Amino acid sequence: LFAALMLFLSVVFFGLSFVMGDLLKLPGYEWLYYSIMGMLSIALGTFGSVFNTYASLYLAKDNELLLAMPIPPSVILSTRMSLVLGMSLLYSGIVWIPAVIYAWLVTPFSLTAVVFDLLLIPLLALFVTVLTCALGWVVALISARVKNKSFLVVILSLLFFCGYYYICFNMNDLLQTVAANGEALGNGLKVWGNLIYQLGRGAEGAVLPMLLFSGITLGLFGLCFWILSKSFVRIVTKTPTVGKTAAKQRPIKSRGVKSALYRRELKRFTSSPTYMLNCGLGIFMLLLAAVMALVKQELIVDVLAAIGEELPEILGILPLTILSSVCVIVSINTISTPSISLEGKNLWILRSLPVTGRQVLEAKRNLHISMNVWPALLAVAAVSFAMKLEPVTAVLIGVYVCAFVWFTGDIGLVVGVLRPNFQWSNETMPIKQSLNVVICW
């Protein structure tokens, strides 16, 4: 499935290369095509691997175990960085390889250009690795000094998501602007983005720019590895700072078994940025859909009126459309699916408590339901209000959504019980690199 997805993305970017192919016809500005596709390759590579870098480098569960062995930290770091390099190579390659293949098909090329284009595949991956490792290093330094670091990472990641998808949704306008102002953009890159300019010239077959880009990239990678190797042990073993607070006498409230287990699951979910981003991103999307439905209410009414005039039968399936859209977003939130595997080596703690297995599983399911059902109902209410649906119809949609949330929570637990993985060294393995998540999607 993953190979099929990568092949599909390659075809998509080959089509994008066809759209940008007019830049190859600008006399003296053929390099601009390679520069723009190189920037897209770097952007996608960074976006695809940046969320794994921090967890892969600094949050691996066996870091302390490996550091206790007679293994140099640089060897441990090089192993971790090889995984980041692999992801960078994958995501940047699905943009760059179709781009150069298209250029070879439509323009004359030399043997030198072909060799340089192929050499740029690993060089772009190294450049992306430098960017993602630098971002991961900054996040690690901030996280070591911030108390609520999980929410900080989530907020920064969501801002990155919003910027990325804003560019994606406005890609056609951006491409038209680039095509119409190719020469001006090229002159700007020569001044403000000279490294990208050298990349484009090197892809054309120019030897000196290729050597310059290669030297800078390799130098940055070496500098990045040296800095990370010097701070790796300090960041991995650093105890988060806790501010001084005055001691206060507070009464201790006893809690029931269900409440205590639920709070335990909630704390586990909110303490992991990787868990929240990969298994709870739909929560943010549901809240965003509710806000957009209220803000764009007039536009929605106008669109529905236009559709009603042309295709009045479409209005009869609006409730089904709302229901299916909300359920698709809810299905992104696979909170219960990795919850069992995430226990890892701490499974013995639950086994030693005076609780039943049913109570443990119910706590995991209740967290999934509570984190999904309220944003989903809010989205249903906002969209139903914007589309002026009947109250009975809106209530029925809400009932179906609640049933779907319950169903997805139970399915995630069933798959998690049947296919547990307690031997992971990085929490990204059960969260986003697991067949269990694919099944529940």
Side-chain angles (χ1 to χ4, degrees), residues 316 318-324 326-327 373 375-403:
L318 277 181
L320 180 60
T321 304
I322 298 173
L323 173 61
S324 59
V326 173
C327 288
V373 71
L377 290 178
L378 181 62
V380 169
V383 175
S384 300
F385 176 79
M387 294 186 175
K388 302 185 183 302
L389 297 183
E390 295 293 333
V392 176
T393 303
V395 170
L396 289 176
I397 295 174
V399 171
Y400 279 111
V401 167
C402 291

Side-chain angles (χ1 to χ4, degrees), residues 113-131:
V114 173
V115 173
F116 286 176
D117 290 343
L118 295 177
L119 288 176
L120 281 170
I121 297 175
L123 287 174
L124 285 172
L126 287 175
F127 191 84
V128 171
T129 302
V130 172
L131 292 179

Side-chain angles (χ1 to χ4, degrees), residues 256-258 260-261 349-360:
V257 173
K258 292 184 178 180
L261 291 175
I349 298 178
L350 289 175
R351 299 294 297 272
S352 63
L353 295 176
V355 295
T356 64
R358 181 183 183 89
Q359 291 173 322
V360 173

Side-chain angles (χ1 to χ4, degrees), residues 47-79:
F47 178 79
S49 57
V50 69
F51 297 108
N52 293 328
T53 303
Y54 171 58
S56 300
L57 290 179
Y58 298 106
L59 295 184
K61 192 173 62 174
D62 57 350
N63 273 339
E64 294 185 1
L65 175 63
L66 294 176
L67 288 174
M69 298 179 179
I71 303 175
S74 58
V75 176
I76 301 174
L77 180 62
S78 63
T79 305

Side-chain angles (χ1 to χ4, degrees), residues 9 22 34 38 108 120 122 210 279 287 291 315 399 414 420 429 431:
L9 290 176
D22 290 341
Y34 294 103
L120 281 170
M210 181 64 183
C279 297
L287 297 176
V291 173
L315 299 179
V399 171
V414 169
M429 295 174 64
I431 290 175

Side-chain angles (χ1 to χ4, degrees), residues 180-192:
N181 302 278
E183 296 184 5
L185 178 61
N187 295 330
L189 276 178
K190 291 180 181 179
V191 177
W192 303 105

